Amino acid sequence: MRTILVVGGGYAGFYTAWKLERKLRRDEARVVVVDPRPYMTYQPFLPEVLAGSVEARHAAVSLRRHLKRSRVVSGRVVAVDHAHRRVTVRPAEGEEYQLGYDIIVVTAGAVTRKLAIPGVAEQAIGMKHVEEAVAIRDRMFTNFDRASALPPGPLRRRLLTVTFVGGGFSGVEGIGELLSLATSLMRRYPELDPGELSFHLVEARDRILPEVTDEPGRWVVGSLEKRGARVHLNAQLVSAVDGHVVLSDGEEFDSDLIVWTAGNGANPMVRSHTDLPVDARGMLVVRADLRVGTDDEPVPDAWGAGDDAAVPDLAVNRPGAATVPNAQHAVRQGKLLARNIVATLRGREPKKYVHHSLGTVATLGLGRGIFQYHRIVIKGLPAWLMHRGYHVLAVPSWERKVRVLAVWLTAAVFGRDIVSLASVQDPRREFVTGGEPPSRREHARSS
């Protein structure tokens, strides 16, 4: 049988493998999925993981549980040699090894775009994976506990200051949900003054949420600022050394929690370690039918989709336009890619990818949201309900839908859980120290 190798188990990769299992005959081809993580992260739920509205594990879709007929390889593809139909896999333990294939599907996704800003690598937390969302939530809870034991002053203000860098969907939804949680937490901490709570959103451009038009974008800025957040437009992060935030507009403040959501960058493997064609941005060159290459020079037995591929956007009347890297496109590209692979195996022509946007919807905290479809704009509670309804339908498998709904219903009755489990990041501390409290220096370094 032919081997179909799927590089990456994110949106596009997961849906490609999932649909291939349902469409391939058992003797037609085998599917192998290579990914360093054992799950697909449903990223639209990460802001709600921050706020405790969704359990962290419910935003992770197990590859082995749902890809029952595929072979799941735990490791990272670090090089693709398509000329010889093989990839180099780097497992978490052991030596690198070669893995052969007949057909390759490159859906390795994008990586968090990091800039050479002093202090960012040491201080900031990304928001692309479940582990990062949990760490952000636990850090904020821990900071509330630490601040409640301190007298008013600079250290307490630093612990209660949160900074999001990047005004795209991840940053706006993240700050909206975390601000909603922090505001509600204040009722549990009578020692703290609500005026000490400080949230900042830093965006280099003159507007946030580029996927929506200007007026809804301004409304979101106004909504966040009415709730106490500061939105810094046309401002760049210059330094974050030791948590001291310096912005290009001259403003400076101390922030103990810095969240980096300043967009995605090209996957290093796709950009530099493959003989497949890539464009100037380091994106995989693909045709409208998701085959790698161009109409004049197609690459046999190679396919690509998702955030690492420059998929032509046939839904817009603009030459050279590519689909934006979001979940809406990645899911649909993965499904079509599976159908196209099966079609070519059976001697049929693949179809071109065309998807007209269903609109954009974002959560801004409990009971708050924004939705836009062309000129239709819905704000507030109705948009928030639309956000929840859309994503509970979109998350794969009925098992995940039921789990998420159960958590939402429970939270509606009993409220959100406010327990920090930051200690799981160092589970042996109590065992090693025997209950002795850490020194001040160790405590500061660990937090």
Side-chain angles (χ1 to χ4, degrees):
M1 287 192 296
R2 293 187 179 187
T3 296
I4 302 172
L5 179 67
V6 180
V7 180
Y11 284 118
F14 173 82
Y15 276 94
T16 298
W18 205 28
K19 295 302 179 182
L20 280 172
E21 287 189 349
R22 286 158 173 74
K23 294 181 179 299
L24 287 170
R25 295 188 292 267
R26 289 191 175 272
D27 60 347
E28 197 167 15
R30 64 171 63 90
V31 180
V32 179
V33 180
V34 184
D35 196 277
R37 286 181 169 80
Y39 56 83
M40 180 202 81
T41 302
Y42 191 74
Q43 292 184 353
F45 277 158
L46 292 187
E48 297 209 52
V49 172
L50 295 186
S53 299
V54 171
E55 171 63 35
R57 286 184 175 86
H58 299 168
V61 180
S62 170
L63 299 181
R64 294 184 183 274
R65 175 168 184 162
H66 296 286
L67 301 180
K68 299 176 182 178
R69 291 175 52 197
S70 300
R71 177 190 172 196
V72 178
V73 176
S74 181
R76 186 183 301 275
V77 171
V78 295
V80 175
D81 181 5
H82 190 63
H84 297 92
R85 301 294 196 275
R86 65 191 179 194
V87 298
T88 302
V89 178
R90 180 179 298 163
E93 302 289 342
E95 299 294 324
E96 295 180 357
Y97 61 90
Q98 305 288 316
L99 196 61
Y101 63 84
D102 298 291
I103 299 170
I104 191 169
V105 177
V106 182
T107 54
V111 298
T112 300
R113 182 180 62 188
K114 291 181 288 187
L115 305 178
I117 299 173
V120 167
E122 296 78 14
Q123 299 294 326
I125 304 175
M127 207 182 85
K128 195 174 180 64
H129 303 290
V130 174
E131 304 94 326
E132 294 171 323
V134 172
I136 294 167
R137 170 180 163 82
D138 285 343
R139 172 73 71 85
M140 193 186 73
F141 282 145
T142 300
N143 284 358
F144 265 73
D145 287 332
R146 292 173 60 191
S148 67
L150 294 172
L155 179 54
R156 195 156 100 167
R157 287 197 300 272
R158 172 193 171 104
L159 291 171
L160 297 176
T161 299
V162 179
T163 304
F164 277 75
V165 182
F169 264 88
S170 294
V172 171
E173 290 190 314
I175 194 172
E177 286 287 347
L178 206 61
L179 177 59
S180 176
L181 176 61
T183 304
S184 67
L185 271 181
M186 276 294 176
R187 298 194 300 269
R188 309 286 183 178
Y189 290 84
E191 310 93 331
L192 302 178
D193 182 353
E196 296 175 291
L197 193 63
S198 182
F199 273 69
H200 298 263
L201 176 63
V202 181
E203 171 53 49
R205 292 168 293 190
D206 61 354
R207 52 164 300 174
I208 61 174
L209 293 178
E211 295 86 350
V212 303
T213 54
D214 290 345
E215 193 278 329
R218 287 192 293 268
W219 180 85
V220 172
V221 171
S223 174
L224 291 173
E225 291 183 336
K226 284 180 182 179
R227 295 160 59 191
R230 286 280 309 281
V231 180
H232 305 265
L233 299 177
N234 294 312
Q236 298 179 8
L237 180 65
V238 175
S239 175
V241 175
D242 296 327
H244 182 69
V245 174
V246 180
L247 302 182
S248 59
D249 61 5
E251 187 159 353
E252 300 183 26
F253 52 89
D254 290 328
S255 178
D256 194 71
L257 177 53
I258 301 172
V259 184
W260 184 265
T261 62
N264 295 325
N267 191 297
M269 186 277 292
V270 175
R271 182 185 62 225
S272 307
H273 302 285
T274 174
D275 57 353
L276 296 171
V278 296
D279 64 14
R281 299 176 299 156
M283 306 284 282
L284 195 67
V285 176
V286 300
R287 307 174 356 156
D289 60 7
L290 305 179
R291 286 190 284 193
V292 173
T294 63
D295 291 337
D296 296 329
E297 297 183 41
V299 178
D301 301 323
W303 303 77
D307 292 356
D308 64 359
V311 180
D313 192 347
L314 302 183
V316 299
N317 296 319
R318 190 170 67 251
T323 58
V324 296
N326 62 23
Q328 198 174 125
H329 282 299
V331 169
R332 286 163 177 80
Q333 288 169 11
K335 293 177 180 180
L336 177 65
L337 203 158
R339 293 196 298 269
N340 280 352
I341 290 176
V342 173
T344 56
L345 287 175
R346 297 173 184 173
R348 301 196 304 269
E349 285 298 311
K351 295 182 178 180
K352 295 181 178 181
Y353 176 74
V354 182
H355 172 65
H356 296 274
S357 174
L358 302 176
T360 55
V361 62
T363 175
L364 303 174
L366 196 63
R368 301 178 176 92
I370 182 79
F371 168 81
Q372 182 173 18
Y373 177 71
H374 298 304
R375 294 185 179 182
I376 301 173
V377 178
I378 300 175
K379 307 169 185 176
L381 179 62
W384 178 76
L385 292 172
M386 292 172 68
H387 176 274
R388 286 204 161 184
Y390 172 79
H391 285 299
V392 80
L393 291 174
V395 67
S397 85
W398 280 102
E399 172 255 345
R400 276 293 177 266
K401 299 179 198 297
V402 172
R403 289 181 186 273
V404 170
L405 279 172
V407 172
W408 283 344
L409 292 173
T410 303
V413 176
F414 299 106
R416 292 180 288 207
D417 202 335
I418 61 171
V419 175
S420 169
L421 295 177
S423 58
V424 300
Q425 298 172 39
D426 190 5
R428 298 184 66 249
R429 173 178 291 176
E430 288 295 321
F431 175 73
V432 172
T433 62
E436 287 290 331
S439 66
R440 290 184 181 273
R441 180 176 298 177
E442 290 174 340
H443 181 72
R445 184 166 56 246
S446 65
S447 58

